């Protein structure tokens, strides 16, 4: 199970004195525990991946904000944590793969204008779940629909 792997990796990181990894994995374990308390059940691997995705999204947003504020030191710290999180996520789709899938879905739902964005997103998001950032998918679908 993914949860056990994360715990084992935390112990290993503590032995190796890898501070970024220790900090990140502790945060992930706490988030998983919060999820389990909230849902009153054991987290499945799918739940754990969802928790990690939420944490990764927080890191990406923080990186964006820190860069806007000119705090490259803080952005770099968030990037290091994001790199650790991405090791536990499924391989991300490339923009080209997303574009190909978007074209298939657009054809499938018969979308023809930017007004159909919602219809397309409703079908495509479950297919890319965990493998692509919603913002990127939205941007690609919007570009295709506008052309």
């Amino acid at each position: 199970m993914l949860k056990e792997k994360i715990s084992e990796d935390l112990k290993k990181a503590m032995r190796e004195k890898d501070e970024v990894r220790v900090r990140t994995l502790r945060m992930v374990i706490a988030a998983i525990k919060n999820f389990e308390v909230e849902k009153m059940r054991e987290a499945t691997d799918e739940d754990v991946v969802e928790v990690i995705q939420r944490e990764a999204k927080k890191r990406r947003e923080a990186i964006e904000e820190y860069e806007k504020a000119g705090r490259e030191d803080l952005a770099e710290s968030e990037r290091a944590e994001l790199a650790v999180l991405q090791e536990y996520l499924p391989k991300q789709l490339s923009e080209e793969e997303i574009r190909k899938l978007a074209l298939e879905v657009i054809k499938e739902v018969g979308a023809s204008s930017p007004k159909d964005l919602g219809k397309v997103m409703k079908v495509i998001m479950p297919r890319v779940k965990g493998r692509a950032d919603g913002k990127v998918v939205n941007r690609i679908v919007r570009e295709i629909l506008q052309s």
Side-chain angles (χ1 to χ4, degrees), residues 117-129:
L117 180 72
K119 267 197 277 185
V120 176
M121 291 301 288
K122 196 162 64 180
V123 175
I124 198 171
M125 285 314 289
R127 294 183 190 178
V128 299
K129 188 175 188 193

Side-chain angles (χ1 to χ4, degrees), residues 24-36:
T24 306
L25 294 178
R26 278 188 174 149
M27 174 273 310
V28 167
I29 290 169
I32 292 167
K33 281 197 180 8
N34 288 341
F35 172 87
E36 290 176 334

Side-chain angles (χ1 to χ4, degrees), residues 106 110-118 120 141-142 144-147:
I106 288 169
S112 57
S113 73
K115 286 188 295 195
D116 300 322
L117 180 72
V120 176
V141 170
R142 185 170 278 133
I144 294 170
L145 289 173
Q146 285 172 344
S147 61

Side-chain angles (χ1 to χ4, degrees), residues 13-138:
M14 289 166 85
R15 280 193 296 273
E16 294 171 358
K17 297 191 182 349
D18 183 342
E19 289 178 32
V20 172
R21 188 171 221 85
V22 168
R23 179 179 66 230
T24 306
L25 294 178
R26 278 188 174 149
M27 174 273 310
V28 167
I29 290 169
I32 292 167
K33 281 197 180 8
N34 288 341
F35 172 87
E36 290 176 334
V37 167
E38 190 180 304
K39 301 288 184 198
M40 296 193 303
R41 65 177 169 83
E42 185 85 13
T44 64
D45 277 356
E46 199 173 280
D47 296 330
V48 172
V49 168
E50 249 175 63
V51 168
I52 296 171
Q53 284 171 328
R54 262 198 309 271
E55 294 301 327
K57 181 178 182 191
K58 288 178 191 173
R59 298 300 167 287
R60 280 192 286 275
E61 289 169 353
I63 290 166
E64 218 173 276
E65 291 303 313
Y66 288 142
E67 284 174 343
K68 280 183 199 166
R71 294 295 310 266
E72 199 50 46
D73 54 330
L74 294 174
E76 202 47 52
S77 165
E78 295 290 332
R79 272 191 211 96
E81 288 184 13
L82 181 59
V84 172
L85 292 172
Q86 286 176 329
E87 292 173 25
Y88 299 95
L89 292 173
K91 183 183 168 296
Q92 297 292 294
L93 294 172
S94 69
E95 287 207 11
E96 196 47 50
E97 291 169 311
I98 296 170
R99 190 171 302 280
K100 204 169 124 189
L101 186 62
L103 287 167
E104 288 171 18
V105 171
I106 288 169
K107 206 175 287 174
E108 195 179 298
V109 299
S112 57
S113 73
K115 286 188 295 195
D116 300 322
L117 180 72
K119 267 197 277 185
V120 176
M121 291 301 288
K122 196 162 64 180
V123 175
I124 198 171
M125 285 314 289
R127 294 183 190 178
V128 299
K129 188 175 188 193
R131 298 181 303 145
D133 183 15
K135 278 184 185 173
V136 175
V137 176
N138 189 305

